[in-house]
């Protein structure tokens, strides 16, 4: 599904990713683990083709560099810090991204309802609570029903109740056969959902293992 | 390139411009002052027997020089840096869109918003003139409208450059206002000083004047309306004698260059480091 070969990303003199190799199978749920600045977000942005990089990335046989637009059609993305366009309501935001993804407005409306955002449709997206913003991000990521989802620390700013709701949603997406890549700092999330854990440290891939094979998570904090 | 994608981004950019308080205040000011200047021009119509459109075109020239550049600069400067600072640019570029589509959609949206404002100001003014003085010399007026759009686009391109090269919204606004001040006031004084100190020839002075798109606009409009550049002194006479009938096309080309080169620079830099 996803093949990464010798992925390197430099920001001037700082090496954010250093020759990372990785393969993700269809339907696999992969957790990216590591301290802040380890390169998790940079890895997702390279996979999306929104920043230049060295090395090769293929998503479903397509080269991210040359076929970025087609690749992004296959990926739904929930960013780490969710910020929406100022002055746009929830529905205006959903409609804008639905039009960009060429999704029928009927489906956009249904998803908005399914995720409990119907009553907030006329509210400014920027004024939503953290949990609601996260749901809106997930609605937008799911608009075109993409086979792959990238979630960048999706539950880091949520309260316990909303986090559990979100975890359940991720499990549902896993059951639906979606390929998930998510960055996280939470052990419970990794144990509950992930099939595989990749630990990044200072841009290097330090560990690539099944979560149950990891005896001591604390060692990677 | 998908034109549907460009259209969606363009429509959003127009909506953003219509919700931008700076833009709305400047647009309202431009419309009100255009109408006020037209009424003022028409007040002397009976005494001097001068046709409404030609006279008003000349008086609107200075208003355009003052307001349209700042409108274009601010609109452009706030366009991309705002999205980058808000963090929405990454989300936008993570969709099935290309950098080219995003850039083009944003530029066309800002262009449409700016042209709409120019039409609103000139349109309101034209209605007043047509009502009291008829349509005589309306061609001169249209020439001014056309060059005003070119002037606005030149400054919009400069604004886009600012928006790409600067990292913060507030800095972009500051830089845009500085560029406006530089081109509006300092360049005139600087040129006068340079011409005196270096004892520049009229030819050198004329070509130096074209460094400023506002000056190219002023000469092009006066050259079109009056067919004489005596008001610009020796440099104006040099331009008339050297370029003759090619004066207005040459100045139009200078303005087109002012639109295209900053835009190209902004585009190339945006492609290289759009979200970094």
């Amino acid at each position: 599904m996803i093949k990464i070969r010798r992925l390197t990303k430099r920001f001037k003199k700082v090496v954010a990713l250093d020759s990372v190799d990785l393969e993700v199978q269809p339907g696999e749920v992969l957790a990216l683990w590591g301290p802040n600045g380890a390169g998790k977000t940079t890895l997702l942005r390279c996979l999306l083709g929104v920043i230049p990089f060295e090395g090769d990335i293929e998503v479903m046989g397509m080269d991210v560099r040359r076929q970025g637009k087609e690749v992004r059609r296959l990926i739904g993305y929930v960013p780490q810090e969710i910020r929406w366009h100022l002055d746009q309501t929830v529905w205006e935001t959903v409609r804008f991204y639905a039009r960009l993804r060429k999704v029928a407005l009927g489906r956009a409306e249904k998803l908005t309802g399914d995720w409990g955002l119907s009553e907030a449709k006329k509210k400014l997206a920027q004024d939503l609570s953290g949990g609601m913003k996260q749901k809106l991000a997930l609605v937008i990521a799911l608009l075109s029903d993409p086979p792959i989802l990238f979630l960048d620390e999706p539950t880091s700013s949520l309260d316990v109740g909303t986090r559990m709701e979100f975890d359940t949603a991720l499990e549902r997406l896993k059951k639906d056969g979606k390929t998930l890549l998510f960055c996280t700092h939470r052990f419970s999330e990794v144990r509950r959902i992930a099939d595989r854990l990749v630990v990044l440290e200072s841009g290097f891939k330090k560990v690539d293992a099944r979560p149950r094979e990891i005896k001591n998570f604390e060692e990677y904090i | 390139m998908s034109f549907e994608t460009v259209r969606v981004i363009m429509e959003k950019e127009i909506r953003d411009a219509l919700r931008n308080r700076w833009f709305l205040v400047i647009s309202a000011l431009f419309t009100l002052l255009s109408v006020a200047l037209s009424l003022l021009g028409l007040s002397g119509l009976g005494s001097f027997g001068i046709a409404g459109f030609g006279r008003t075109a000349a008086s609107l020239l200075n208003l355009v020089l003052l307001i349209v550049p700042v409108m274009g600069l601010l609109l452009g400067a706030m366009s991309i840096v705002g999205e980058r600072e808000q963090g929405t640019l990454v989300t936008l570029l993570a969709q099935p869109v290309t950098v080219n589509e995003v850039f083009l959609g944003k530029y066309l949206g800002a262009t449409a918003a700016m042209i709409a404002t120019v039409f609103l100001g000139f349109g309101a003014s034209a209605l007043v003139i047509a009502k009291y003085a008829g349509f005589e010399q309306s061609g001169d007026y249209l020439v001014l409208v056309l060059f005003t759009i070119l002037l606005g686009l030149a400054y919009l391109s400069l604004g886009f450059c600012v928006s790409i090269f600067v990292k913060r919204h507030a800095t972009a606004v500051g830089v845009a206002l500085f560029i406006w001040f530089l081109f509006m006031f300092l360049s005139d004084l600087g040129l006068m000083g340079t011409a005196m100190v270096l004892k520049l020839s009229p030819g050198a002075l004329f070509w130096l004047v074209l460094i400023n798109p506002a000056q190219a606009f002023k000469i092009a409009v006066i050259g079109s309306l009056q067919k004489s550049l005596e008001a610009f002194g020796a440099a104006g006479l040099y331009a008339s004698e050297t370029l003759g009938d090619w004066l207005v096309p040459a100045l139009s080309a200078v303005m087109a260059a002012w639109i295209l080169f900053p835009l190209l620079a902004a585009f190339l830099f945006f492609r290289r480091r759009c979200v970094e």
Side-chain angles (χ1 to χ4, degrees), chain A residues 9 69 72 87 99 101, chain B residues 19 95 97 101 276:
Chain A
K9 174 65 196 172
K69 187 174 175 177
R72 287 188 288 277
D87 302 329
R99 289 181 68 199
R101 285 192 165 264
Chain B
R19 286 167 175 172
Q95 308 305 315
V97 298
E101 287 163 352
E276 282 177 19

Side-chain angles (χ1 to χ4, degrees), chain A residues 9 11 45 50-52 69 72-73 77 79 83-88 92 96-97 99-102, chain B residues 2 5 8 11-12 19 83 85-86 88 90-98 101 272 275-276:
Chain A
K9 174 65 196 172
F11 293 103
R45 287 185 178 183
V50 296
I51 52 174
K69 187 174 175 177
R72 287 188 288 277
R73 211 178 289 287
Y77 173 57
R83 301 215 186 122
W84 299 113
H85 295 110
L86 302 172
D87 302 329
Q88 273 198 342
E92 280 172 338
F96 172 65
Y97 287 103
R99 289 181 68 199
L100 279 184
R101 285 192 165 264
K102 297 183 173 48
Chain B
S2 157
T5 303
V8 173
E11 284 175 13
K12 189 193 153 293
R19 286 167 175 172
E83 287 238 30
E85 200 178 35
Q86 276 172 46
T88 49
V90 180
T91 315
L92 178 60
L93 289 166
Q95 308 305 315
V97 298
T98 62
E101 287 163 352
R272 263 184 55 207
V275 291
E276 282 177 19

Side-chain angles (χ1 to χ4, degrees), chain B residues 67-133:
Chain B
I67 292 185
V68 171
V70 77
M71 194 196 305
L73 274 167
L74 285 176
L75 201 58
M78 288 192 267
S79 175
I80 287 168
V81 74
E83 287 238 30
R84 196 190 291 132
E85 200 178 35
Q86 276 172 46
T88 49
L89 190 60
V90 180
T91 315
L92 178 60
L93 289 166
Q95 308 305 315
V97 298
T98 62
V99 172
N100 303 4
E101 287 163 352
V102 171
F103 189 86
L104 189 62
K106 283 191 160 290
Y107 189 76
L108 290 180
T111 299
M114 205 201 59
I115 289 177
T117 299
V118 169
F119 280 165
L120 185 69
F122 279 108
S125 177
L127 284 175
V128 173
I129 302 165
K131 186 178 176 193
Y132 295 106

Side-chain angles (χ1 to χ4, degrees), chain B residues 217-252:
Chain B
F217 162 81
K218 201 192 310 186
I219 299 170
V221 172
I222 291 177
S224 303
L225 299 185
Q226 297 184 351
K227 315 289 177 209
S228 157
L229 293 178
E230 279 174 20
F232 291 97
L237 289 173
Y238 166 84
S240 297
E241 277 175 22
T242 314
L243 294 169
D245 289 344
W246 285 95
L247 178 74
V248 174
L251 290 169
S252 305

